[in-house]
Amino acid sequence: MAEEQIIHLHDRTPGVRHEEPTADFLTYTAGLVFAIALTAVSFVVAQTNLLWGPGVAMGLIVLAIAQIGVHLVFFLHMGTGPDHTNNIIALAFGMMIVFLVLTGSVWIMWHLNDNMMPMSPGMH
Amino acid sequence: MSIATLDFASTEAAIGRGGGGPAPTRIVVAYGFWIFLLSDIILFSGLFAAYAVLQDNAAGGPTGRELFSFKTVFIETMALLVSSYTCGLAALSMERARADLFYVFSALTFALGAVFLGIEISEFAGMVGEGAGPSKSAFLSSFFTLVGTHGAHVTSGLLWLVYMVAQVAVKGFRPNVRQRILCFSLFWHALDIVWVGVFTLVYLIGGR
């Protein structure tokens, strides 16, 4: 067995890499460049007519999800290897709850708003 | 095949499946902190949901379009993003046992975090001064709760950072101090992830 494999015997902690320090520095820097680029594109898309009007909100959400992915991979060093299994399972469960809370609330409440009787200005 | 190799093979098969005996403290602590961060993000998801539901209920008061300044939010976002980067470099300096670099990057992280917080506080003060405080409308209540909770997290992060720098100065890079610094850097990165959601949903989509 190669010596380097023995180092990876244990599960990995989130936020820690076990490669060369220079690679770490480059990872953080690449993450910063990607994140700044995605942020800048988000602000440009929100203020211009680059995207078709009704699609801007969806485009911004996609950009935000991409940027969160960049943060997870480059800053929190989430990976796909077997030593990351526990971290990824916990993350997936957390994201499922977030998704249920957000879409569930929005879905129910927007339908509720649509079904309310129209209020005249004098009604309270 | 030697016994050692056999042993290695069985341990390798157990990675990520709970077998192979208890994990080292370093891994248990960071994993527990990771679970805490995910639960914290679930807390924010409730506040995001409240904002998404209430954002149109301005009750005749000012809307997001009238209140938000893209320029201010962009500076805020960049300050927090770069502070996340310098925080990563501080953790890296710790792994290389470079106390001098750790102090420099921690100071930069603190300064950028303080810039973020200062801009947010002046934004809040300006809004309250214009009569657009949290009691004005459901939209503003949910806005101040969501953004204010994030700001409270940043504030506690700044206090934690001061505390960690003091611990390194007094105790050096001991194993338990190193664990705390790694937990802090996870916390700070998680705050930046939450801010991506805030600036997109609240400021960019709500301010268009």
Side-chain angles (χ1 to χ4, degrees):
Chain A
M1 287 291 165
E3 188 124 335
E4 61 188 22
Q5 280 177 291
I6 296 172
I7 301 168
H8 297 297
L9 271 179
H10 298 294
D11 291 334
R12 242 185 239 198
T13 57
V16 179
R17 286 181 64 109
H18 298 280
E19 271 131 54
E20 289 169 37
T22 43
D24 275 330
F25 175 72
L26 289 179
T27 305
Y28 280 115
T29 309
L32 179 71
V33 170
F34 286 140
I36 287 180
L38 285 165
T39 305
V41 171
S42 289
F43 276 82
V44 168
V45 163
Q47 292 176 87
T48 60
N49 293 320
L50 268 181
L51 284 186
W52 176 59
V56 170
M58 193 50 76
L60 287 171
I61 289 172
V62 169
L63 284 165
I65 291 173
Q67 190 173 344
I68 288 172
V70 166
H71 283 246
L72 285 173
V73 170
F74 290 91
F75 289 167
L76 289 162
H77 310 308
M78 287 288 135
T80 51
D83 46 358
H84 270 304
T85 309
N86 287 328
N87 303 334
I88 296 289
I89 288 175
L91 176 68
F93 181 70
M95 289 307 103
M96 185 187 81
I97 302 288
V98 167
F99 177 78
L100 288 178
V101 168
L102 276 177
T103 56
S105 305
V106 167
W107 186 27
I108 291 170
M109 293 309 292
W110 286 1
H111 277 260
L112 189 74
N113 284 346
D114 282 348
N115 292 332
M116 289 282 273
M117 273 172 59
M119 295 237 288
S120 61
M123 285 167 69
H124 279 297
Chain B
M1 205 183 251
S2 72
I3 290 168
T5 320
L6 273 174
D7 196 38
F8 169 67
S10 67
T11 320
E12 187 189 40
I15 288 174
R17 294 176 182 83
T25 314
R26 180 176 61 84
I27 284 161
V28 173
V29 166
Y31 185 63
F33 197 74
W34 180 233
I35 302 284
F36 159 72
L37 287 177
L38 289 167
S39 72
D40 216 26
I41 285 173
I42 289 169
L43 164 95
F44 276 107
S45 79
L47 300 176
F48 273 116
Y51 179 83
V53 166
L54 298 172
Q55 60 182 343
D56 296 326
N57 302 346
T63 61
R65 190 168 305 146
E66 292 152 28
L67 289 170
F68 303 149
S69 148
F70 279 153
K71 198 181 154 200
T72 317
V73 179
F74 187 73
I75 296 168
E76 243 183 316
T77 304
M78 282 301 146
L80 200 63
L81 180 56
V82 177
S83 88
S84 208
Y85 174 69
T86 57
C87 171
L89 295 187
L92 202 59
S93 317
M94 178 202 72
E95 279 174 37
R96 291 195 203 171
R98 289 286 302 271
D100 51 344
L101 287 177
F102 175 79
Y103 292 136
V104 169
F105 287 126
S106 296
L108 280 173
T109 308
F110 185 90
L112 289 161
V115 165
F116 171 87
L117 207 58
I119 294 174
E120 187 161 89
I121 289 170
S122 73
E123 185 199 14
F124 279 11
M127 284 169 70
V128 172
E130 289 170 28
S135 56
K136 178 71 188 165
S137 64
F139 153 66
L140 284 166
S141 301
S142 62
F143 167 82
F144 276 97
T145 312
L146 171 58
V147 183
T149 305
H150 180 270
H153 277 74
V154 173
T155 310
S156 56
L158 288 178
L159 292 175
W160 190 2
L161 177 60
V162 172
Y163 188 56
M164 287 330 299
V165 168
Q167 288 204 339
V168 170
V170 176
K171 302 179 177 176
F173 292 129
R174 283 191 210 165
N176 53 353
V177 174
R178 294 165 58 96
Q179 269 169 22
R180 290 168 199 157
I181 293 171
L182 284 178
C183 286
F184 168 75
S185 86
L186 287 177
F187 181 73
W188 201 251
H189 292 319
L191 285 187
D192 206 18
I193 287 179
V194 172
W195 183 254
V196 172
V198 173
F199 85 71
T200 301
L201 286 178
V202 176
Y203 289 102
L204 292 186
I205 295 181
R208 284 179 60 237

